[in-house]
Amino acid sequence: MPRITIEDLKKIKEEARQKMTLRSGDARARVVVHMSTCGIAAGAREVLDAFLRDAEARHLTDLLVTTSSCAGLCSREPMATVEIAGQAPVKYVDLDPAKAGRIVAEHILGGAVVREFALAAGSETAS
Amino acid sequence: MAYRAHCLICTGTGCVAGGSFNLRKTLEAEIAKRGLDREIQVITTGCQGFCAEGPIMIVQPDGVFYCRVEERDVPAIVEEHLLKGRPVKKLLYTPPTEKAPIPALKDIPFFAKQKLIVLRNRGLIDPDRIEDYIAVDGYTALGKALTQMTPEGIVLEIKRSGLRGRGGGGFPAGIKWETCRHAGQVRGVAPVVICNADEGDPGAFMDRSIIESDPHSVVEGMIIAARGIGASEGFVYIRHEYPLARQRLQLALDHAREFGLLGKNILGAGMDFDIEIREGAGAFVCGESTALMASLEGKLGEPRAKYIHTVEHGYQDRPSNLNNVETYANVPLIILRGADWFASMGTGDVKENPWNGSSGTKVFSLVGKINNTGLIEVPMGISLREIIFDIGGGIPKGRKFKAVQTGGPSGGCLPEEKLDMAVDFDSLTEAGSMMGSGGMIVMDEQTCMVDVARYFIAFLTEESCGKCTPCREGLKTMLDVLTRIGDGKGRMEDLGLLEEMGAVMQDCCLCALGTSAPNPVLSTLQYFRHEYEAHIRDKKCPGGVCKELITYGIDPAKCDGCHACVRACSTAAIMGEVKKVHTLDVHKCIKCGACIEVCRRDAITRT
Ligand SMILES: Cc1cc2nc3c(=O)[nH]c(=O)nc-3n(C[C@H](O)[C@H](O)[C@H](O)COP(=O)(O)O)c2cc1C
Ligand code: FES
């Protein structure tokens, strides 16, 4: 990547923004595993691995598994947010690898939120 | 050969009436057309017992249950599900009770009362990808600062926003920047910009979390500060115990450098600046400005007297601007949205004078006896009650709130009467505590306030650098006295001694570690004096914590003789037959509390 100017910054922003919003034809769903020191201590890495393994085993090429940071509610870690194109994101709490498998099967593939460990829908609004 | 999947079509009477035979034919034809007939088998079954929603079709091994399937759904089922493995959503069965939507995040009190500025990107972006940060307006503020603002203009904007230091003292950032810039110009020496990521308070993890979730916001804030101040060199002083934060920050710096956001001629706008990470060894006193700079220079991390300010003579005798992680993380949004926007949040009118109030938000780590442990960001001026009971969800196990400790080890403990107080820099100081860097420890009725004071004084005694006498000896004396009181050997005169010692330390210590160290003792003496008196006069510990003053026992009305405590007791102090009320031998009991942990009926007493 060459050194950028302010104009380049705008271009990168547009491109990156496109990649971040889920569009049909592109990725259909995204799982964000919240990985901070607190999350990792609670087992977020194993949860991430489980999502990745599942996505691969089921050939889900249109599922994006990514990481982000602490969602703030450390006592309910590991947490993950599942976004399906056109729907409000859903936050899951107290996860483990088995629950990750169920989320893939029931929510991402089946379209039904796994209510047992879903905390809520929507995203935090920044001011 | 084995089939990889089976489609089970119900051919019970109900489903046949709905057309399941035709469905089967169409499905088989479509499967053959797609060349899947050797992989997928269509089977008919008897009644599935769900005629109301028929025709029913089940796909195995996925266990997907389709209802009201029609012939025209077949192509979608084959294409989407059988070929690509994605069940067709509109055909899936939704039980009626499940139809209610799950709650919205904004309706959950933990999230509803928070206001995110510093943590705006938490959970949204991948902290390891600079493109993600740029996508959410990252480095746009830097672009604005470099092309549309003068350095003086940047400093003025920060000053007018009222942004006060988030690391402890609450000193207005704009005033610090102005002084540093001025010192650089007058002395003709290039200033340095330093970020304090030492975070030494036990139980605090705000700064770690900010760096872990959004490292670029800190980097961008530092570059803007450097532009305002006229610095070309920057440091982040971070503790060794934060490996993940350090790694993410290092990656952020590398990416920023690659993109030309650090280094020479930043964004082609002619500014040179770079940042280096320096590791600290995790001594609490190294968070103090003069000790931090000594440590940065490779010297022993000891504070010095501050009549010479570090903004003028700091690191390598150069003008040095030290701000906290969270302080810098606020900067990009202030530049982007303007001082007025930031000043409109919080308490007081800060635009003319940043000392007039507390603008913006504050990040707190909420820990202790609280249901929702976590990291929160709230507008300045919110009440303690809202933080603890709405966001924090109250005290676990239905116990009563006793106190909240704010401001880190040298903060203070505030009682229930103070719960409706507004949380801002000046109100907290006035109440005998402080904002500190944002640790908030909630305590319930089973906490002993003498023990709490002793804990923090023990921590500070360990961490005192020992350079000045009032701090070194004062803390040691306080610790001795508090230990004595906890052991039931205190005297009433001890309370006066603690207060006198506290006053001397506040006046005479070399650095703020020492001058603020008496806070835990003085604030508990102010609000919980009766607990001290109970220890001294009645030889009782109201919280049931101080071992010398409590006796364990068994409440015969509650004990059901389950024997769990008998098994847990390592000194065989509890006796009794199964299903009969147990007894406890106080002479054998070492008050370890193992029995309390296992008793399901709350039958163990501590008096
Ligand atoms: C004993 C002691 C420990 C401190 N520890 C920290 C710390 O861990 N992090 C921090 O940002 N400030 C800490 N401070 C405050 C710093 O001295 C300094 O005021 C602050 O970093 C300035 O940045 P700010 O104005 O942005 O808050 C400490 C102060 C003292 C006296
Ligand atoms: S360590 Fe600063 S006064 Fe003691």
PDB file of all heavy atoms in Angstrom, chain B residues 571-595:
ATOM      1  N   THR B 571     -11.307 -29.053  58.957  1.00  0.00           N
ATOM      2  CA  THR B 571     -10.810 -29.276  60.314  1.00  0.00           C
ATOM      3  C   THR B 571     -11.797 -30.087  61.154  1.00  0.00           C
ATOM      4  O   THR B 571     -11.673 -30.160  62.373  1.00  0.00           O
ATOM      5  CB  THR B 571     -10.548 -27.930  61.026  1.00  0.00           C
ATOM      6  OG1 THR B 571     -11.771 -27.186  61.037  1.00  0.00           O
ATOM      7  CG2 THR B 571      -9.471 -27.140  60.311  1.00  0.00           C
ATOM      8  N   ALA B 572     -12.743 -30.699  60.511  1.00  0.00           N
ATOM      9  CA  ALA B 572     -13.748 -31.529  61.188  1.00  0.00           C
ATOM     10  C   ALA B 572     -14.413 -30.787  62.341  1.00  0.00           C
ATOM     11  O   ALA B 572     -14.648 -31.336  63.416  1.00  0.00           O
ATOM     12  CB  ALA B 572     -13.131 -32.844  61.682  1.00  0.00           C
ATOM     13  N   ALA B 573     -14.732 -29.501  62.088  1.00  0.00           N
ATOM     14  CA  ALA B 573     -15.354 -28.698  63.134  1.00  0.00           C
ATOM     15  C   ALA B 573     -16.868 -28.865  63.161  1.00  0.00           C
ATOM     16  O   ALA B 573     -17.530 -28.467  64.115  1.00  0.00           O
ATOM     17  CB  ALA B 573     -14.996 -27.231  62.939  1.00  0.00           C
ATOM     18  N   ILE B 574     -17.421 -29.449  62.099  1.00  0.00           N
ATOM     19  CA  ILE B 574     -18.875 -29.611  62.059  1.00  0.00           C
ATOM     20  C   ILE B 574     -19.215 -31.095  62.237  1.00  0.00           C
ATOM     21  O   ILE B 574     -18.603 -31.962  61.616  1.00  0.00           O
ATOM     22  CB  ILE B 574     -19.472 -29.083  60.741  1.00  0.00           C
ATOM     23  CG1 ILE B 574     -19.034 -27.619  60.544  1.00  0.00           C
ATOM     24  CG2 ILE B 574     -20.993 -29.184  60.754  1.00  0.00           C
ATOM     25  CD1 ILE B 574     -19.574 -26.974  59.301  1.00  0.00           C
ATOM     26  N   MET B 575     -20.170 -31.333  63.120  1.00  0.00           N
ATOM     27  CA  MET B 575     -20.560 -32.718  63.391  1.00  0.00           C
ATOM     28  C   MET B 575     -22.066 -32.867  63.254  1.00  0.00           C
ATOM     29  O   MET B 575     -22.802 -31.879  63.333  1.00  0.00           O
ATOM     30  CB  MET B 575     -20.162 -33.125  64.813  1.00  0.00           C
ATOM     31  CG  MET B 575     -18.662 -33.252  65.011  1.00  0.00           C
ATOM     32  SD  MET B 575     -18.156 -32.547  66.598  1.00  0.00           S
ATOM     33  CE  MET B 575     -18.785 -30.911  66.542  1.00  0.00           C
ATOM     34  N   GLY B 576     -22.509 -34.089  63.103  1.00  0.00           N
ATOM     35  CA  GLY B 576     -23.947 -34.329  63.040  1.00  0.00           C
ATOM     36  C   GLY B 576     -24.271 -35.464  62.095  1.00  0.00           C
ATOM     37  O   GLY B 576     -23.504 -35.773  61.185  1.00  0.00           O
ATOM     38  N   GLU B 577     -25.401 -36.085  62.367  1.00  0.00           N
ATOM     39  CA  GLU B 577     -25.821 -37.172  61.502  1.00  0.00           C
ATOM     40  C   GLU B 577     -26.620 -36.631  60.334  1.00  0.00           C
ATOM     41  O   GLU B 577     -27.251 -35.572  60.436  1.00  0.00           O
ATOM     42  CB  GLU B 577     -26.715 -38.138  62.297  1.00  0.00           C
ATOM     43  CG  GLU B 577     -25.953 -38.973  63.296  1.00  0.00           C
ATOM     44  CD  GLU B 577     -26.912 -39.704  64.221  1.00  0.00           C
ATOM     45  OE1 GLU B 577     -27.926 -40.229  63.716  1.00  0.00           O
ATOM     46  OE2 GLU B 577     -26.659 -39.717  65.435  1.00  0.00           O
ATOM     47  N   VAL B 578     -26.625 -37.387  59.248  1.00  0.00           N
ATOM     48  CA  VAL B 578     -27.398 -36.989  58.072  1.00  0.00           C
ATOM     49  C   VAL B 578     -28.864 -36.830  58.477  1.00  0.00           C
ATOM     50  O   VAL B 578     -29.398 -37.623  59.253  1.00  0.00           O
ATOM     51  CB  VAL B 578     -27.263 -38.049  56.957  1.00  0.00           C
ATOM     52  CG1 VAL B 578     -28.098 -37.654  55.744  1.00  0.00           C
ATOM     53  CG2 VAL B 578     -25.802 -38.212  56.560  1.00  0.00           C
ATOM     54  N   LYS B 579     -29.489 -35.759  57.944  1.00  0.00           N
ATOM     55  CA  LYS B 579     -30.898 -35.453  58.209  1.00  0.00           C
ATOM     56  C   LYS B 579     -31.170 -35.010  59.636  1.00  0.00           C
ATOM     57  O   LYS B 579     -32.320 -34.903  60.041  1.00  0.00           O
ATOM     58  CB  LYS B 579     -31.800 -36.652  57.845  1.00  0.00           C
ATOM     59  CG  LYS B 579     -31.698 -37.011  56.362  1.00  0.00           C
ATOM     60  CD  LYS B 579     -33.048 -37.338  55.769  1.00  0.00           C
ATOM     61  CE  LYS B 579     -32.952 -37.475  54.275  1.00  0.00           C
ATOM     62  NZ  LYS B 579     -33.205 -38.819  53.797  1.00  0.00           N
ATOM     63  N   LYS B 580     -30.109 -34.779  60.427  1.00  0.00           N
ATOM     64  CA  LYS B 580     -30.330 -34.188  61.749  1.00  0.00           C
ATOM     65  C   LYS B 580     -29.533 -32.896  61.826  1.00  0.00           C
ATOM     66  O   LYS B 580     -28.490 -32.762  61.166  1.00  0.00           O
ATOM     67  CB  LYS B 580     -29.870 -35.147  62.841  1.00  0.00           C
ATOM     68  CG  LYS B 580     -30.761 -36.368  62.947  1.00  0.00           C
ATOM     69  CD  LYS B 580     -30.698 -36.973  64.342  1.00  0.00           C
ATOM     70  CE  LYS B 580     -31.618 -38.177  64.405  1.00  0.00           C
ATOM     71  NZ  LYS B 580     -30.915 -39.366  64.887  1.00  0.00           N
ATOM     72  N   VAL B 581     -30.016 -31.962  62.611  1.00  0.00           N
ATOM     73  CA  VAL B 581     -29.363 -30.654  62.708  1.00  0.00           C
ATOM     74  C   VAL B 581     -27.904 -30.830  63.150  1.00  0.00           C
ATOM     75  O   VAL B 581     -27.610 -31.540  64.097  1.00  0.00           O
ATOM     76  CB  VAL B 581     -30.134 -29.758  63.698  1.00  0.00           C
ATOM     77  CG1 VAL B 581     -29.355 -28.480  63.979  1.00  0.00           C
ATOM     78  CG2 VAL B 581     -31.507 -29.424  63.129  1.00  0.00           C
ATOM     79  N   HIS B 582     -26.989 -30.167  62.417  1.00  0.00           N
ATOM     80  CA  HIS B 582     -25.565 -30.284  62.712  1.00  0.00           C
ATOM     81  C   HIS B 582     -25.141 -29.269  63.769  1.00  0.00           C
ATOM     82  O   HIS B 582     -25.824 -28.272  64.013  1.00  0.00           O
ATOM     83  CB  HIS B 582     -24.743 -30.063  61.440  1.00  0.00           C
ATOM     84  CG  HIS B 582     -24.993 -31.087  60.369  1.00  0.00           C
ATOM     85  ND1 HIS B 582     -25.618 -32.274  60.613  1.00  0.00           N
ATOM     86  CD2 HIS B 582     -24.690 -31.086  59.038  1.00  0.00           C
ATOM     87  CE1 HIS B 582     -25.693 -32.971  59.492  1.00  0.00           C
ATOM     88  NE2 HIS B 582     -25.151 -32.261  58.507  1.00  0.00           N
ATOM     89  N   THR B 583     -23.962 -29.509  64.348  1.00  0.00           N
ATOM     90  CA  THR B 583     -23.412 -28.535  65.309  1.00  0.00           C
ATOM     91  C   THR B 583     -21.994 -28.182  64.908  1.00  0.00           C
ATOM     92  O   THR B 583     -21.324 -28.938  64.204  1.00  0.00           O
ATOM     93  CB  THR B 583     -23.393 -29.116  66.734  1.00  0.00           C
ATOM     94  OG1 THR B 583     -22.690 -30.359  66.697  1.00  0.00           O
ATOM     95  CG2 THR B 583     -24.790 -29.304  67.286  1.00  0.00           C
ATOM     96  N   LEU B 584     -21.565 -27.000  65.357  1.00  0.00           N
ATOM     97  CA  LEU B 584     -20.240 -26.515  64.970  1.00  0.00           C
ATOM     98  C   LEU B 584     -19.399 -26.252  66.220  1.00  0.00           C
ATOM     99  O   LEU B 584     -19.863 -25.598  67.159  1.00  0.00           O
ATOM    100  CB  LEU B 584     -20.412 -25.241  64.142  1.00  0.00           C
ATOM    101  CG  LEU B 584     -19.189 -24.626  63.478  1.00  0.00           C
ATOM    102  CD1 LEU B 584     -19.604 -23.934  62.183  1.00  0.00           C
ATOM    103  CD2 LEU B 584     -18.464 -23.649  64.373  1.00  0.00           C
ATOM    104  N   ASP B 585     -18.191 -26.793  66.230  1.00  0.00           N
ATOM    105  CA  ASP B 585     -17.290 -26.609  67.356  1.00  0.00           C
ATOM    106  C   ASP B 585     -16.424 -25.372  67.096  1.00  0.00           C
ATOM    107  O   ASP B 585     -15.519 -25.395  66.256  1.00  0.00           O
ATOM    108  CB  ASP B 585     -16.418 -27.870  67.496  1.00  0.00           C
ATOM    109  CG  ASP B 585     -15.462 -27.760  68.674  1.00  0.00           C
ATOM    110  OD1 ASP B 585     -15.301 -26.640  69.207  1.00  0.00           O
ATOM    111  OD2 ASP B 585     -14.879 -28.798  69.056  1.00  0.00           O
ATOM    112  N   VAL B 586     -16.704 -24.287  67.805  1.00  0.00           N
ATOM    113  CA  VAL B 586     -16.014 -23.021  67.529  1.00  0.00           C
ATOM    114  C   VAL B 586     -14.511 -23.108  67.811  1.00  0.00           C
ATOM    115  O   VAL B 586     -13.729 -22.312  67.303  1.00  0.00           O
ATOM    116  CB  VAL B 586     -16.614 -21.844  68.328  1.00  0.00           C
ATOM    117  CG1 VAL B 586     -18.015 -21.538  67.842  1.00  0.00           C
ATOM    118  CG2 VAL B 586     -16.606 -22.126  69.818  1.00  0.00           C
ATOM    119  N   HIS B 587     -14.110 -24.068  68.623  1.00  0.00           N
ATOM    120  CA  HIS B 587     -12.675 -24.172  68.927  1.00  0.00           C
ATOM    121  C   HIS B 587     -11.891 -24.792  67.778  1.00  0.00           C
ATOM    122  O   HIS B 587     -10.728 -24.508  67.583  1.00  0.00           O
ATOM    123  CB  HIS B 587     -12.465 -24.982  70.217  1.00  0.00           C
ATOM    124  CG  HIS B 587     -13.191 -24.360  71.382  1.00  0.00           C
ATOM    125  ND1 HIS B 587     -12.817 -23.147  71.886  1.00  0.00           N
ATOM    126  CD2 HIS B 587     -14.279 -24.760  72.076  1.00  0.00           C
ATOM    127  CE1 HIS B 587     -13.659 -22.822  72.871  1.00  0.00           C
ATOM    128  NE2 HIS B 587     -14.560 -23.795  73.001  1.00  0.00           N
ATOM    129  N   LYS B 588     -12.567 -25.658  67.031  1.00  0.00           N
ATOM    130  CA  LYS B 588     -11.883 -26.267  65.893  1.00  0.00           C
ATOM    131  C   LYS B 588     -11.997 -25.395  64.631  1.00  0.00           C
ATOM    132  O   LYS B 588     -11.208 -25.505  63.706  1.00  0.00           O
ATOM    133  CB  LYS B 588     -12.504 -27.636  65.588  1.00  0.00           C
ATOM    134  CG  LYS B 588     -12.076 -28.736  66.542  1.00  0.00           C
ATOM    135  CD  LYS B 588     -12.553 -30.052  65.969  1.00  0.00           C
ATOM    136  CE  LYS B 588     -12.386 -31.185  66.954  1.00  0.00           C
ATOM    137  NZ  LYS B 588     -13.228 -32.329  66.563  1.00  0.00           N
ATOM    138  N   CYS B 589     -13.044 -24.552  64.586  1.00  0.00           N
ATOM    139  CA  CYS B 589     -13.343 -23.761  63.381  1.00  0.00           C
ATOM    140  C   CYS B 589     -12.229 -22.754  63.090  1.00  0.00           C
ATOM    141  O   CYS B 589     -11.793 -22.029  63.967  1.00  0.00           O
ATOM    142  CB  CYS B 589     -14.670 -23.021  63.578  1.00  0.00           C
ATOM    143  SG  CYS B 589     -15.056 -21.864  62.254  1.00  0.00           S
ATOM    144  N   ILE B 590     -11.750 -22.765  61.830  1.00  0.00           N
ATOM    145  CA  ILE B 590     -10.727 -21.782  61.443  1.00  0.00           C
ATOM    146  C   ILE B 590     -11.333 -20.652  60.603  1.00  0.00           C
ATOM    147  O   ILE B 590     -10.632 -19.843  59.997  1.00  0.00           O
ATOM    148  CB  ILE B 590      -9.571 -22.452  60.672  1.00  0.00           C
ATOM    149  CG1 ILE B 590     -10.113 -23.245  59.477  1.00  0.00           C
ATOM    150  CG2 ILE B 590      -8.729 -23.335  61.592  1.00  0.00           C
ATOM    151  CD1 ILE B 590      -9.052 -23.612  58.465  1.00  0.00           C
ATOM    152  N   LYS B 591     -12.642 -20.593  60.531  1.00  0.00           N
ATOM    153  CA  LYS B 591     -13.365 -19.493  59.864  1.00  0.00           C
ATOM    154  C   LYS B 591     -12.965 -19.323  58.402  1.00  0.00           C
ATOM    155  O   LYS B 591     -12.747 -18.222  57.920  1.00  0.00           O
ATOM    156  CB  LYS B 591     -13.141 -18.185  60.628  1.00  0.00           C
ATOM    157  CG  LYS B 591     -13.544 -18.281  62.088  1.00  0.00           C
ATOM    158  CD  LYS B 591     -13.085 -17.068  62.866  1.00  0.00           C
ATOM    159  CE  LYS B 591     -13.329 -17.280  64.359  1.00  0.00           C
ATOM    160  NZ  LYS B 591     -12.848 -16.193  65.181  1.00  0.00           N
ATOM    161  N   CYS B 592     -12.800 -20.432  57.717  1.00  0.00           N
ATOM    162  CA  CYS B 592     -12.360 -20.358  56.318  1.00  0.00           C
ATOM    163  C   CYS B 592     -13.522 -20.073  55.380  1.00  0.00           C
ATOM    164  O   CYS B 592     -13.324 -19.617  54.259  1.00  0.00           O
ATOM    165  CB  CYS B 592     -11.667 -21.649  55.909  1.00  0.00           C
ATOM    166  SG  CYS B 592     -12.788 -23.061  55.825  1.00  0.00           S
ATOM    167  N   GLY B 593     -14.744 -20.336  55.823  1.00  0.00           N
ATOM    168  CA  GLY B 593     -15.902 -20.025  54.990  1.00  0.00           C
ATOM    169  C   GLY B 593     -16.286 -21.126  54.002  1.00  0.00           C
ATOM    170  O   GLY B 593     -17.227 -20.963  53.230  1.00  0.00           O
ATOM    171  N   ALA B 594     -15.577 -22.258  54.027  1.00  0.00           N
ATOM    172  CA  ALA B 594     -15.887 -23.340  53.073  1.00  0.00           C
ATOM    173  C   ALA B 594     -17.311 -23.847  53.259  1.00  0.00           C
ATOM    174  O   ALA B 594     -17.992 -24.186  52.284  1.00  0.00           O
ATOM    175  CB  ALA B 594     -14.896 -24.486  53.238  1.00  0.00           C
ATOM    176  N   CYS B 595     -17.783 -23.881  54.505  1.00  0.00           N
ATOM    177  CA  CYS B 595     -19.130 -24.360  54.770  1.00  0.00           C
ATOM    178  C   CYS B 595     -20.184 -23.425  54.172  1.00  0.00           C
ATOM    179  O   CYS B 595     -21.200 -23.878  53.642  1.00  0.00           O
ATOM    180  CB  CYS B 595     -19.341 -24.526  56.272  1.00  0.00           C
ATOM    181  SG  CYS B 595     -18.843 -23.082  57.234  1.00  0.00           S
TER     182      CYS B 595
END
